[in-house]
Amino acid sequence: MNLIHIGEKVINLEKIYNKIDKILEARSSGLSQQEVADKLNVDRTFISRLEGIGEVHKGKDIAVAGFPIKNKDEVISVLEKHGIDFYIIMTEQERREFAESKNGAELINELMALLAKGRSYDVVIVIASDMRSKMLAALLDKEIITINIGHSPLTQDVYIDPALLDSVIESIKDKKA
């Protein structure tokens, strides 16, 4: 059980996650916000705010960062099909070579330049381990779509389903904002 303490209260995170899952499942099945609110005994405004927190604005410029990727060529093919012009897709070996081929100052400068470039996009899709995804989300401070490929540290390349990636990109680009 995942519990946190807030002042005198003990909060059960699983209970919150389960309620949110039920709300979103009911909404995606076609029920109105008011119908879901009545059914699950929550305020309709809570549902509206919850949807606002998670909304991905469509029609935005997209960048992609992913590592360690086993089927790099397939992933890049999907990105190019969608016209995504800024991406960093690396295998584990490429990631290690990138880090080891530079001294400390060079590595920091190159990483800062990549982060600055990533921040210029509206949405960044991050395909990485749980820890790396959280770190990139904090550093980029942008709208992040995460495709979690495992628990850190990942030491082996991971296969990415091209159809999943295609679907994620389609859902973002589907309708222009």
Side-chain angles (χ1 to χ4, degrees):
M1 191 172 289
N2 200 351
L3 302 175
I4 61 170
H5 297 274
I6 301 175
E8 298 289 320
K9 298 177 188 175
V10 177
I11 307 295
N12 180 340
L13 292 176
E14 287 301 315
K15 187 175 178 183
I16 293 171
Y17 298 150
N18 288 337
K19 182 69 93 166
I20 290 172
D21 285 345
K22 287 178 184 175
I23 290 168
L24 297 176
E25 286 172 15
R27 285 288 289 137
S28 67
S29 75
L31 294 179
S32 71
Q33 288 180 352
Q34 190 61 57
E35 290 169 327
V36 175
D38 294 341
K39 179 179 177 182
L40 297 175
N41 196 28
V42 296
D43 291 334
R44 188 209 54 78
T45 56
F46 172 75
I47 296 170
S48 176
R49 289 185 178 125
L50 181 65
E51 291 175 8
I53 290 169
E55 182 178 7
V56 175
H57 301 286
K58 297 179 182 285
K60 302 287 186 161
D61 289 330
I62 301 170
V64 180
F67 53 88
I69 307 299
K70 186 176 206 168
N71 54 325
K72 176 181 173 178
D73 291 339
E74 282 181 282
V75 168
I76 290 172
S77 184
V78 170
L79 301 178
E80 290 176 346
K81 170 186 140 187
H82 287 284
I84 294 177
D85 61 352
F86 181 65
Y87 55 83
I88 302 166
I89 303 296
M90 295 182 182
T91 64
E92 177 62 15
Q93 181 179 345
E94 289 170 331
R95 178 173 67 163
R96 288 188 184 282
E97 289 171 0
F98 174 81
E100 293 168 359
S101 68
K102 297 161 182 39
N103 67 37
E106 291 170 333
L107 182 60
I108 294 290
N109 288 338
E110 190 153 349
L111 289 173
M112 295 298 278
L114 290 170
L115 287 169
K117 176 104 171 152
R119 288 176 64 99
S120 71
Y121 287 80
D122 299 311
V123 178
V124 179
I125 299 172
V126 176
I127 308 167
S129 67
D130 52 358
M131 182 183 77
R132 300 278 191 242
S133 295
K134 287 179 185 175
M135 288 170 47
L136 281 172
L139 289 168
L140 290 168
D141 191 31
K142 297 303 270 177
E143 187 170 344
I144 304 292
I145 306 294
T146 302
I147 299 176
N148 186 335
I149 59 173
H151 185 68
S152 290
L154 293 177
T155 58
Q156 300 291 319
D157 292 338
V158 178
Y159 178 83
I160 304 303
D161 180 1
L164 170 66
L165 180 58
D166 188 66
S167 173
V168 169
I169 295 168
E170 283 288 337
S171 70
I172 297 167
K173 295 189 100 173
D174 194 22
K175 296 178 184 166
K176 297 294 181 191

